[in-house]
Amino acid sequence: MFDCVNQVAVCAHRGDCVHGMQNTMTAFRYAIGLGVDMVETDVRMSKDGQLFLMHDPNLEDLTDGTGRISNHTYEEIRSMNVAVRGIASDLVSIPDFEPVALLEELLDLAVDHPALMLNIEIKDKPDEVDEAFAFECARKTSDMLATRGLGSRTWINSFSGRIVEWVHTIHGDTFHYHGFFPWHIMGSMQTNPWELCDVACVLNWVLRTDGSVHKQHTVPCPAAWYKQLLRIKVMPLTVSFYGDMQAYDDAISYGSRILMADDPAAMLAYVRAKGLHD
């Protein structure tokens, strides 16, 4: 079962999403400096097998480059500038040049912060890239985390249940595992997600009768879903895209103890004002 020294844990979504520098080392250092409990990030693999941190597959979405990460080499990707998407503020200083971050850079930082929890989403999935490529990304990611001794404070997650199962097959209980609830979001799995996951991101994605999924991004999930997870000792994680803070108050009252934040400074200020975070 998820445990944290604070009554409510704040998870920094991609480090910080409000200044245009998501998934960069600038964003992670900023969020960690604020005192977040956990950072979430996204791992994708380059053409030559290097692990980069980026949510979208297309480089033009965050850098001055173009094309898919999986079609470019390490040297090509590291020459691209993420700072072109930065938004200057009094809180975050935007450098002139910021390379696409490497997983190993974040893990080196995490080693220096022993209380920091990691939420690592493996973005390369079998239905979006070559299947062997996706599983190799998962293997390399989990091996790198395990080698650094970070398994006990790392939650491995993927929208593909097969990827989560693959990591568990390799590393077993070295890691914690994070799923997406309702479980249909993760696709077909041989392993029962109730038995594998101890954290689940709760999303109001409804499965239609024709098999398609209706993604209600801004609709809070019902209290019954939180209760269902907690009965089986799976901690509900509340997502970051609700504009009304009442949704987070409701989630806390339903039993959620992890709040994901696009703006970690604002979320920390909110929960600290309620006496829920040191």
Side-chain angles (χ1 to χ4, degrees):
M1 185 73 168
F2 175 81
D3 188 30
C4 181
V5 295
N6 287 301
Q7 293 184 56
V8 171
V10 173
C11 176
H13 190 209
R14 308 176 203 168
D16 169 75
C17 283
V18 300
H19 299 100
M21 295 289 286
Q22 58 178 277
N23 276 331
T24 63
M25 293 310 298
T26 293
F28 294 124
R29 292 188 188 100
Y30 167 64
I32 293 168
L34 292 171
V36 298
D37 305 279
M38 176 185 283
V39 293
E40 185 271 351
T41 191
D42 309 286
V43 180
R44 292 186 182 275
M45 193 166 70
S46 67
K47 181 180 178 179
D48 51 356
Q50 299 299 310
L51 301 174
F52 287 90
L53 305 183
M54 187 174 289
H55 180 271
D56 295 353
N58 298 314
L59 289 155
E60 56 266 32
D61 293 342
L62 192 64
T63 77
D64 58 358
T66 59
R68 296 179 71 90
I69 291 179
S70 58
N71 292 333
H72 285 272
T73 66
Y74 168 88
E75 289 188 359
E76 291 168 340
I77 297 169
R78 285 289 274 184
S79 70
M80 298 173 189
N81 189 7
V82 181
V84 296
R85 307 296 186 191
I87 302 171
S89 76
D90 294 336
L91 297 176
V92 180
S93 176
I94 306 299
D96 293 331
F97 179 84
E98 175 102 18
V100 181
L102 296 164
L103 176 61
E104 63 186 273
E105 291 178 308
L106 175 59
L107 301 191
D108 288 345
L109 181 61
V111 168
D112 295 332
H113 296 272
L116 181 70
M117 294 178 284
L118 299 172
N119 191 318
I120 306 295
E121 181 176 345
I122 300 169
K123 296 299 288 188
D124 286 330
K125 300 183 297 182
D127 59 342
E128 293 183 357
V129 296
D130 177 78
E131 186 168 295
F133 186 94
F135 287 115
E136 180 67 2
C137 177
R139 185 191 65 77
K140 286 193 170 188
T141 298
S142 55
D143 284 354
M144 186 179 291
L145 284 154
T147 297
R148 282 168 168 74
L150 297 169
S152 63
R153 54 183 169 120
T154 296
W155 276 260
I156 296 289
N157 87 74
S158 172
F159 278 90
S160 168
R162 294 176 62 202
I163 289 292
V164 177
E165 288 178 313
W166 172 249
V167 175
H168 185 260
T169 298
I170 301 170
H171 290 285
D173 294 337
T174 297
F175 301 108
H176 301 276
Y177 298 92
H178 164 159
F180 292 87
F181 188 85
W183 303 124
H184 67 76
I185 294 170
M186 300 172 69
S188 60
M189 297 176 63
Q190 294 183 357
T191 309
N192 185 344
W194 288 111
E195 298 174 359
L196 183 59
C197 301
D198 67 357
V199 165
C201 181
V202 189
L203 294 169
N204 207 333
W205 292 10
V206 179
L207 186 64
R208 297 188 177 106
T209 55
D210 64 359
S212 62
V213 176
H214 176 45
K215 299 180 180 181
Q216 302 180 106
H217 285 290
T218 58
V219 180
C221 298
W225 291 8
Y226 287 82
K227 293 176 182 177
Q228 186 179 2
L229 288 163
L230 289 165
R231 277 198 300 270
I232 314 297
K233 300 187 183 304
V234 179
M235 175 53 64
L237 180 153
T238 302
V239 292
S240 64
F241 42 62
Y242 301 133
D244 184 354
M245 295 305 289
Q246 182 61 48
Y248 298 100
D249 285 340
D250 290 344
I252 292 169
S253 72
Y254 300 158
S256 178
R257 292 296 178 263
I258 314 176
L259 306 182
M260 190 171 283
D262 286 344
D263 187 340
M267 185 63 80
L268 282 167
Y270 189 74
V271 295
R272 284 169 177 165
K274 292 177 172 293
L276 300 174
H277 196 285
D278 291 336

